[in-house]
Amino acid sequence: MQIKEQLLGLKPYQPGKPIEEVQREYNLTKVIKLASNENPYGSSPLAKEAIKEELDQLGLYPDGYSAALRTKLANYLEVKEEELIFGNGSDEIIQIICRALLDQQSNTIMATPSFPQYKHNAVIEGAEIREVPLKNGMHDLDTMLNKIDEHTKIVWVCSPNNPTGTYVTRLSLLSFLEKVPSHVLVVVDEAYYEYVGAEDYPETVPLINKYPNLMVLRTFSKAYGLAALRIGYGIANATFIRQIEPAREPFNTSRIAQAAAIAAIDDQQFIADCVEKNNKGLQQYYDFCAEMNLTYYPSETNFILIDFKRDSDELFQALLEKGYIVRSGNALGVPGSLRITVGSEEQNAEIIDVLKNFLK
């Protein structure tokens, strides 16, 4: 059998190690995972109740159009129902976009380092990849703009960016959107939107009415704590959504995921509480970095990227053997650094103590 040539050298996405594997490998009873930017406080009690109520319906296919969730979310976001598309996590929306727009005659532009699935899916479609290094941890929108030509189909803007936690300001994004040609789709990936506190962060959803070539991605995996259920969504011009819908798999979001997301939207107090705790957790790491004279990027997310100026794989392994799973910067394109998910106050204090001992 002949596999696509572009797949032969492509590695599958490597998530953080599962807790169970680390427990077995190092004979540990307690393992704390701070690698995948999951919500340490779980999900809303309302979502859990909604899941229970769906358990008697497991023999039925889900609503392929996600009608009830579509109505709920459209009302919450104040958009039209036809301006939404749902996916098996926002990862699948990325895949749908690439499947719908990219081919071997096209190119796509993205920052580096950033979320790897933009590049991964573009490679599968055979498109040319044009990567623009971050400037001081931030998207270099001017250089990205200069990379655009008549064959460019998509520009990816991850804001807040993974793995740096930095963001694109309102003025910068508006200036960028004004200059991007209308034939180029600008995808603003806002997986960490709920955690953002910066006053100059753009409210992107209203902009889809002004810019038909803008698409915004969000997810229920992060602040909403529904990562296991895999449900995310995209917001864009209704005509564009209708055009890419055929690239979406039928029944791609489950009954349980839809029900949980509907209930989760109703519990914004849960989100507010998680964000408050996350901000306090970030401060724990900021204080640690100040004490140990470490550099980091101030984060608008539930993770922090810290430059330890040493072999990050070695530090990652040392933490792993102590029962702490993080992400090595070597795997993320930032050697010498670790990306650490903000956990509970207790979890943060524990790993910080371990790190202090290593550094001393």
Side-chain angles (χ1 to χ4, degrees):
M1 293 180 287
Q2 185 65 42
I3 305 297
K4 277 185 175 181
E5 183 179 346
Q6 56 264 37
L7 281 175
L8 297 179
L10 196 61
K11 294 181 180 179
Y13 179 75
Q14 295 293 325
K17 277 199 168 194
I19 291 173
E20 297 79 8
E21 180 182 334
V22 175
Q23 286 176 322
R24 288 194 304 269
E25 189 172 349
Y26 299 102
N27 194 29
L28 298 168
T29 55
K30 179 182 177 182
V31 172
I32 296 174
K33 185 183 179 189
L34 300 173
S36 299
N37 307 334
E38 295 145 328
N39 188 336
Y41 307 105
S43 52
S44 164
L46 298 184
K48 294 174 185 177
E49 283 302 314
I51 290 169
K52 291 177 184 177
E53 292 174 9
E54 283 296 316
L55 294 180
D56 289 335
Q57 308 296 326
L58 297 186
L60 302 177
Y61 281 109
D63 173 6
Y65 191 61
S66 306
L69 174 57
R70 183 178 298 272
T71 299
K72 186 77 174 183
L73 187 60
N75 290 334
Y76 177 69
L77 296 174
E78 298 182 346
V79 300
K80 298 175 183 176
E81 293 186 16
E82 57 268 28
E83 292 172 336
L84 295 169
I85 186 171
F86 295 92
N88 189 245
S90 54
D91 290 10
E92 191 192 21
I93 308 295
I94 294 168
Q95 183 185 58
I96 290 169
I97 295 167
C98 290
R99 179 183 289 182
L101 271 68
L102 298 179
D103 55 30
Q104 293 183 342
Q105 284 73 51
S106 61
N107 68 69
T108 180
I109 299 167
M110 63 204 69
T112 183
S114 192
F115 187 52
Q117 292 307 98
Y118 314 141
K119 180 177 181 179
H120 183 94
N121 283 286
V123 168
I124 291 173
E125 300 303 329
E128 178 193 349
I129 314 297
R130 297 183 176 180
E131 294 181 293
V132 176
L134 297 176
K135 183 183 289 186
N136 299 320
M138 312 280 287
H139 277 62
D140 183 355
L141 294 182
D142 290 338
T143 301
M144 293 174 75
L145 189 67
N146 290 334
K147 293 280 186 180
I148 295 174
D149 63 22
E150 66 272 20
H151 302 295
T152 304
K153 293 292 185 70
I154 310 169
V155 177
W156 306 90
V157 178
C158 187
S159 179
N161 187 49
N162 182 2
T164 56
T166 55
Y167 68 101
V168 174
T169 67
R170 181 187 303 110
L171 289 178
S172 295
L173 181 64
L174 289 174
S175 175
F176 183 69
L177 290 171
E178 283 293 322
K179 298 170 186 173
V180 173
S182 59
H183 74 273
V184 178
L185 177 69
V186 177
V187 180
V188 180
D189 187 346
E190 298 184 336
Y192 300 92
Y193 170 81
E194 289 79 13
Y195 288 109
V196 176
E199 292 183 359
D200 58 347
Y201 186 83
E203 281 299 334
T204 50
V205 172
L207 297 177
I208 66 169
N209 295 314
K210 183 177 181 180
Y211 301 100
N213 62 331
L214 171 66
M215 186 170 195
V216 179
L217 304 185
R218 292 184 184 170
T219 183
F220 289 96
S221 294
K222 302 303 181 184
Y224 283 96
L226 299 177
L229 299 185
R230 310 305 301 123
I231 186 159
Y233 58 97
I235 316 151
N237 174 275
T239 299
F240 178 70
I241 294 291
R242 185 172 63 252
Q243 290 172 337
I244 67 172
E245 271 281 356
R248 179 180 63 82
E249 295 294 329
F251 309 119
N252 63 326
T253 60
S254 72
R255 295 183 67 93
I256 291 178
Q258 291 177 30
I262 290 169
I265 292 169
D266 278 334
D267 196 353
Q268 291 303 310
Q269 187 58 52
F270 172 80
I271 300 296
D273 291 344
C274 289
V275 171
E276 182 180 358
K277 293 173 184 174
N278 183 74
N279 290 339
K280 291 178 180 177
L282 280 171
Q283 191 61 52
Q284 287 178 270
Y285 288 100
Y286 296 161
D287 293 344
F288 160 67
C289 289
E291 180 183 345
M292 305 304 293
N293 197 29
L294 299 171
T295 56
Y296 63 93
Y297 293 112
S299 177
E300 295 294 330
T301 68
N302 67 334
F303 64 81
I304 184 168
L305 185 73
I306 302 174
D307 185 0
F308 288 90
K309 294 182 174 61
R310 60 177 64 199
D311 187 335
S312 51
D313 280 349
E314 182 180 328
L315 194 51
F316 163 83
Q317 184 62 35
L319 285 170
L320 200 63
E321 293 174 10
K322 292 284 188 179
Y324 298 92
I325 312 172
V326 298
R327 288 301 299 271
S328 168
N330 285 348
L332 302 172
V334 276
S337 300
L338 293 180
R339 192 193 71 190
I340 305 173
T341 301
V342 178
S344 66
E345 181 179 2
E346 180 183 0
Q347 290 171 338
N348 300 330
E350 288 180 10
I351 192 172
I352 285 171
D353 282 344
V354 173
L355 284 167
K356 284 181 180 179
N357 288 331
F358 285 152
L359 296 175
K360 290 176 180 177

